[in-house]
Amino acid sequence: MTWADETTLRRLYVDERMDCVQIGRMFGKDPKTVWYHLRRFGIPTRPRGSDKRQQFPKGHVPWIKGRKMPAEFRQKIRATTVARGGVPYLRNGQHWLQGQPPNANGRWLGGVTPERQEFYRSTEWKAACATVWKRADAKCERCGLDHRTINRKQQKFHVHQIVSFAVKELRAEPTNLALLCAPYHRFVHSKANTAREFLNTEQKAAA
């Protein structure tokens, strides 16, 4: 059977009522490629949704916003996901943070987004940043990249807080801040940072 042959496509699409997905699977082609050749040969294509076989059966109740999934379905989905190893945050069937204080999660930032935005506009924060930039001589404190040598439209530098923003007394403390280029700032907060560079506890930072 020759691919992209008008007679073949017309027989499959028009006479046998196969759709572009089914024809594509038969020839190992993308459905859009099948659709393109149908149009190229002038074969009228059916409007989307016209295939009764792909429509919901009569009496089907569509999922309504706000409608809750039955507990039985949720349990089946959860069991399947766990069996595939896709829920690493569960311990003995429960989320590992369940019942724990918020700061048990090392990535917890205090849940104070409005407060954070206000603080970053303050003169206290701007003064602390100026101190850090001067101390670091405008260089990334991990890789040594000089801010004066980069394309500033493509590269950014960030002032990173070693101890979480949630610890108020250290938010603008220069010894708790580090100047990092954007790639290394992302690294610091990634799982690849197994040595927890530039991440610390309050006690250790204060020491």
Side-chain angles (χ1 to χ4, degrees):
M1 192 179 297
T2 305
W3 161 242
D5 173 76
E6 179 179 359
T7 303
T8 301
L9 284 178
R10 190 175 294 276
R11 177 174 58 80
L12 294 174
Y13 187 79
V14 178
D15 299 337
E16 298 186 19
R17 304 290 295 177
M18 293 178 65
D19 58 33
C20 293
V21 175
Q22 294 170 322
I23 297 173
R25 288 174 181 168
M26 179 179 295
F27 293 101
K29 300 294 181 179
D30 185 89
K32 193 67 177 180
T33 303
V34 177
W35 180 88
Y36 166 78
H37 285 292
L38 289 171
R39 298 299 297 268
R40 183 168 68 90
F41 291 130
I43 301 174
T45 55
R46 296 184 289 271
R48 191 182 295 269
S50 62
D51 190 344
K52 300 292 185 181
R53 297 169 298 179
Q54 297 180 354
Q55 297 179 3
F56 288 116
K58 187 176 181 179
H60 173 80
V61 179
W63 196 263
I64 303 172
K65 185 177 181 181
R67 178 183 173 191
K68 293 185 178 180
M69 180 181 293
E72 179 185 357
F73 289 176
R74 292 200 304 270
Q75 186 59 38
K76 287 181 178 180
I77 293 172
R78 185 180 297 112
T80 302
T81 307
V82 171
R84 292 175 178 172
V87 193
Y89 50 82
L90 292 183
R91 295 177 183 172
N92 298 321
Q94 293 185 338
H95 195 290
W96 73 278
L97 283 174
Q98 186 172 345
Q100 299 295 321
N103 58 4
N105 185 342
R107 297 186 178 184
W108 184 70
L109 301 177
V112 287
T113 300
E115 182 181 352
R116 179 188 294 271
Q117 293 174 336
E118 181 179 354
F119 174 76
Y120 287 153
R121 290 193 295 264
S122 69
T123 55
E124 180 185 13
W125 173 249
K126 292 176 182 178
C129 289
T131 300
V132 172
W133 275 84
K134 183 175 181 180
R135 180 194 70 201
D137 190 28
K139 297 177 182 177
C140 175
E141 295 188 71
R142 189 179 189 276
C143 71
L145 179 65
D146 194 323
H147 184 262
R148 291 159 293 210
T149 65
I150 65 174
N151 183 337
R152 299 179 187 180
K153 292 183 179 180
Q154 298 179 355
Q155 181 67 285
K156 302 292 182 182
F157 272 46
H158 304 151
V159 175
H160 162 72
Q161 291 166 323
I162 299 171
V163 177
S164 171
F165 178 87
V167 183
K168 294 184 178 181
E169 59 270 25
L170 294 178
R171 288 177 180 176
E173 171 55 50
T175 59
N176 182 52
L177 304 175
L179 184 63
L180 300 174
C181 62
Y184 276 117
H185 194 196
R186 289 192 293 270
F187 162 80
V188 165
H189 290 289
S190 71
K191 293 181 180 179
N193 185 14
T194 55
R196 295 184 62 78
E197 297 180 49
F198 294 98
L199 295 175
N200 222 323
T201 62
E202 178 184 350
Q203 293 78 9
K204 193 171 182 180

